[in-house]
Amino acid sequence: MAIDRRDLLKALSTTTIAAALEGVWSEEAPPLAEAASQAGQRAENSKSPLERAPERLIQAEPVVTLDPDGTARIEWETVIPTQGGTIYAGLPNDEVALDWPIYNANQPITEESARLKHAAQIDVRGFTTRSAARMLVEGGTLAYRLELFDTRKGSAQFIDRHFSFLVEHDRFRKAPAILEGPFLSQINVDSGIIWWVTDIPTSGEVHLIGGAAIPSENGLANRHVVRLKGLSPNTKYRYQVVSKASNDEARSRTHSLKTSPREPEFSFAFTCDGRTGGLGGGDTALEGINGISARALAIQMARHEPHLLIFTGDLINGYTTREDDFRSQLRSWKRIYGPLWHEIPVYTGIGNHESLIDVFEDGTQSDKQGEQSAEAVFASEFVHPMNGPDPERPGMPPYKGSVYSFDYAGCHFTQLNSDYWYSSRPQQHPGNPFGRLLPKQLDWLESDLKAARSAVARHIFVFVHEPAFPNGGHVQDSLWGGGDAEGVKARDRFWTIAAEAGASAVFSGHEHNYSRTLIDSKTPVHRDGAANPGFVRPTWQITQGAAGAPFYPRDFTAPWAKNVKKFVAHTWSYCLVQVRGPRVSLETYSYTGELLDQAELA
């Protein structure tokens, strides 16, 4: 369950937060382990981390076996005893670009009592005979859905998975399956990355249609990364990924990628906050993801044929103590957005719900440390640039992979982490309140944007989950800390860096609505209505957090309320940013394709 940070900030004085955080960057601060030990002495009743109930219902990934006659047996274990349910079977939709499976057969899972261990069967031969006779000759991929009743939530939970098989001489056997991908990353004028994940260790390669086969750099592995070089600018390529194990292989469909143009003539889509809110049940809660809003938005975004998608935080419901649950939720997000990701690169950032935490007996929540942290696990689930800053201090969570920058078509994109090293009570367990950009990250941002200006980037775009100037739902927290001194100080430094660099806009989410706000040197930005004369260049803040989480209405108490040019709540939406040379234009659309807002950003 999410923490209300407004209550947290009321409970903790500015002095307390500042004192707790001072040790993060002070040269005289004790080592991390010593600081944690001292905090433990101040809170004797908070020594034992507690496990929070995971978001997902299954204990581990289902195990599929397939007998030669074509009967698949699926076995799984649940985290609590459950009884019965339904299993559905379907096919990936090979004839359309967005290839989510459609289920067209089902059978009950009959169990006499509640239990932890379960099994169900699918007659693959019978299903393929009715639905895809060609698969009786060559094999293929079968999708399945488990519908199980979760007594913790009083609702049905859906678990979507798939497996692949081959048919030889009328005998069935399992084959390697591509579980994730292929996905595109870091596509540039002459290079790019294609990556994917298989269910068993395989060797992998990318086949460029009409060109060479490029092997994976990972050898025999489940995760494959192929770096393409020597491509031509602004050129479309067809590709297929192939993974082999013994005499078997898995092949993806043939997809397209398009290299970046040299000149700034492109578009990108932006949205965030697609986590489930548990409202609506069923497909609105697919292992931490609102699957209904995600599919609807992906369909609309695909129609614009954007060159990139940026999704800045709250991909998942998170707030879990278990790494396997955290990874499972991220993988659910990848399954939902995967069909779009086959053909355009997707860049993600961390939000407050990307939280992998320890929960202590006194109620404190604290980010796990180092390589067990949310930041480290998040980075390992994606293939993002690894050019971010070093940790604030040795032993703390890494920045690389969640804080990064890249160039595309002469423009510069920078992704930040506003929810780094979280602790709900920094005075008890060392850590950072949500919505606080720490000095090393701000130093890195300043250097990164200065380098972009020196390289004469045509436009600069900055992305951060929590807004600097919230307008609905989070006016009492976010990057300005609800107006407390330390929050305002960090927020003002951040905004000054972005404004002085000439950012066309700062994009954020966190608030589950859409707003467009113009900030300049005369805008009231403090609780007393004072402006900041250092905001010398008028800069747009675009908040787009309406990708599926429960909606927030507008809050008119923000000092900058009169600078809000557009506010829309209560509909899922996304932004389309079009760059045409010196011009940057913004269009905001609902999930039904209705134009909600448009503006010139540069």
Side-chain angles (χ1 to χ4, degrees), residues 220-499:
L220 189 66
N222 293 78
R223 181 183 174 93
H224 298 281
V225 178
V226 172
R227 300 177 191 274
L228 307 177
K229 299 178 181 180
L231 306 179
S232 299
N234 203 27
T235 301
K236 181 174 284 190
Y237 292 85
R238 300 283 287 167
Y239 76 91
Q240 182 182 51
V241 305
V242 179
S243 277
K244 298 180 180 180
S246 300
N247 295 322
D248 296 335
E249 68 177 24
R251 288 178 174 263
S252 73
R253 292 173 58 187
T254 300
H255 301 289
S256 295
L257 70 85
K258 189 174 184 180
T259 51
S260 159
R262 292 191 183 277
E263 298 301 316
E265 298 286 335
F266 68 97
S267 66
F268 67 88
F270 168 73
T271 193
C272 54
D273 293 88
R275 66 172 177 85
T276 180
L279 305 177
D283 273 45
T284 67
L286 291 179
E287 296 183 87
I289 314 303
N290 187 333
I292 290 179
S293 62
R295 290 191 184 100
L297 293 172
I299 289 168
Q300 293 296 340
M301 288 188 285
R303 290 175 177 171
H304 301 290
E305 298 184 350
H307 296 72
L308 314 167
L309 167 61
I310 317 289
F311 202 108
T312 301
D314 281 12
L315 292 69
I316 63 175
N317 214 34
Y319 287 105
T320 179
T321 57
R322 289 176 46 168
E323 181 179 318
D324 60 347
D325 185 32
F326 188 80
R327 289 187 185 276
S328 179
Q329 292 184 51
L330 290 175
R331 291 166 182 172
S332 177
W333 190 90
K334 287 186 275 187
R335 277 193 294 274
I336 292 292
Y337 280 95
L340 193 62
W341 205 344
H342 297 324
E343 307 216 344
I344 66 169
V346 175
Y347 296 90
T348 61
I350 279 186
N352 59 296
H353 274 263
E354 277 72 49
S355 289
L356 180 55
I357 55 177
D358 287 323
V359 179
F360 296 90
E361 291 177 357
D362 66 347
T364 302
Q365 298 185 4
S366 180
D367 194 0
K368 295 180 186 292
Q369 297 300 305
E371 295 307 308
Q372 285 72 51
S373 65
E375 288 84 358
V377 175
F378 183 90
S380 73
E381 285 290 330
F382 297 93
V383 179
H384 290 322
M386 299 296 285
N387 58 353
D390 293 328
E392 292 289 328
R393 288 178 65 84
M396 287 174 58
Y399 276 122
K400 296 184 189 299
S402 65
V403 175
Y404 55 88
S405 64
F406 64 92
D407 295 315
Y408 187 89
C411 299
H412 190 72
F413 294 74
T414 300
Q415 173 66 57
L416 301 175
N417 180 358
S418 59
D419 300 297
Y420 173 81
W421 192 48
Y422 164 61
S423 175
S424 64
R425 297 177 182 173
Q427 80 281 22
Q428 299 283 30
H429 292 272
N432 189 20
F434 279 142
R436 184 67 50 80
L437 295 169
L438 296 182
K440 185 165 285 189
Q441 185 174 184
L442 288 172
D443 290 345
W444 175 86
L445 172 66
E446 189 167 25
S447 297
D448 178 72
L449 297 190
K450 282 183 177 178
R453 290 185 64 188
S454 297
V456 197
R458 195 65 172 274
H459 301 286
I460 292 174
F461 305 103
V462 177
F463 301 83
V464 61
H465 180 68
E466 301 208 20
F469 305 95
N471 292 304
H474 286 288
V475 170
Q476 300 305 320
D477 48 76
S478 295
L479 288 191
W480 81 317
D484 75 71
E486 289 297 318
V488 169
K489 180 180 178 182
R491 189 270 319 257
D492 283 4
R493 185 185 175 203
F494 160 66
W495 199 262
T496 298
I497 292 170

Side-chain angles (χ1 to χ4, degrees), residues 178 180-184 194-196 239 241 252 255 338 341-342:
I178 297 173
E180 299 178 12
F183 299 143
L184 302 182
I194 300 174
W195 64 281
W196 68 100
Y239 76 91
V241 305
S252 73
H255 301 289
W341 205 344
H342 297 324

Side-chain angles (χ1 to χ4, degrees), residues 65-73 121-125 172:
T65 55
L66 181 63
D67 70 24
D69 292 329
T71 299
R73 179 178 173 86
Q121 292 184 341
I122 297 177
D123 178 7
V124 178
R125 181 188 296 275
F172 288 74

Side-chain angles (χ1 to χ4, degrees), residues 136-150:
L136 289 172
V137 177
E138 58 192 40
T141 296
L142 190 71
Y144 67 92
R145 163 174 283 188
L146 299 175
E147 182 182 14
L148 310 174
F149 189 77
D150 188 342

